[in-house]
Amino acid sequence: MDSCSVRAKRGGALTGPNPTDRGKPGTKYHVVVSTDGLPLAALPSAANVHDTRLFPDLLRLAMVVCARIARLYADAGYDSADNRWLCLREGIQPIIRRIGQPHGSGLGQVRCIVEHANAWLLNNKRLDRRHDRKGAIVDALLTAACIFVVAARLVEF
């Protein structure tokens, strides 16, 4: 589970001041992928919304797609006691880097999979530089980009 931020040039729904881009308007895409890189769930939000607020919705969407999730890897942005408890309640082992823990925690080798999925989703230029003002259009584009990634992987088989 990870997120990436993009600039929202024209503002609109699902935009907020991006803390990583000097307060310029932005949108954040939250993505859950399987171990082979297929996107399971994706949600857009304003750039200033904390990652922990979308964790329950992302987990619920991923559990609809997957029959069973054994482990969930996430970075420190998703670290909270409520999120860990939610994972344990569903029988999922949470491997979430704790806030303040050094970066050499071993998640980097696993996180490259979700980083690649973020890059594949941002290949869609309408998602990379957001010009659409309506939140429903951004959500539809993000869902369509996930479908394109899954379809491209199915062609390989």
Side-chain angles (χ1 to χ4, degrees):
M1 183 178 297
D2 200 9
S3 63
C4 61
S5 296
V6 296
R7 173 108 34 108
K9 290 274 192 188
R10 304 171 86 196
L14 298 175
T15 60
N18 191 347
T20 62
D21 195 14
R22 299 180 310 234
K24 293 184 172 73
T27 300
K28 193 184 291 187
Y29 303 129
H30 304 268
V31 182
V32 179
V33 298
S34 64
T35 55
D36 58 352
L38 290 176
L40 301 176
L43 288 175
S45 71
N48 60 344
V49 174
H50 200 273
D51 294 343
T52 57
R53 295 188 61 196
L54 275 90
F55 186 89
D57 294 331
L58 284 167
L59 185 61
R60 181 182 48 81
L61 289 172
M63 290 176 62
V64 168
V65 175
C66 281
R68 181 168 163 352
I69 299 173
R71 290 181 302 271
L72 185 114
Y73 293 90
D75 63 353
Y78 297 97
D79 182 31
S80 77
D82 291 338
N83 291 344
R84 290 178 188 280
W85 177 81
L86 182 62
C87 286
L88 292 173
R89 188 183 75 185
E90 298 295 337
I92 300 169
Q93 178 189 2
I95 304 173
I96 303 172
R97 186 174 74 87
R98 295 196 184 273
I99 296 174
Q101 185 180 12
H103 286 280
S105 59
L107 291 178
Q109 295 175 358
V110 178
R111 281 197 49 212
C112 69
I113 297 168
V114 73
E115 298 294 340
H116 288 257
N118 282 338
W120 292 332
L121 292 178
L122 293 181
N123 273 341
N124 183 342
K125 296 304 176 192
R126 291 207 39 200
L127 286 174
D128 186 30
R129 292 283 183 186
R130 190 183 148 200
H131 294 285
D132 300 300
R133 294 180 58 89
K134 293 190 176 185
I137 292 175
V138 173
D139 191 21
L141 287 172
L142 186 60
T143 303
C146 290
I147 291 170
F148 292 150
V149 169
V150 171
R153 292 290 301 275
L154 289 175
V155 171
E156 293 174 6
F157 293 113

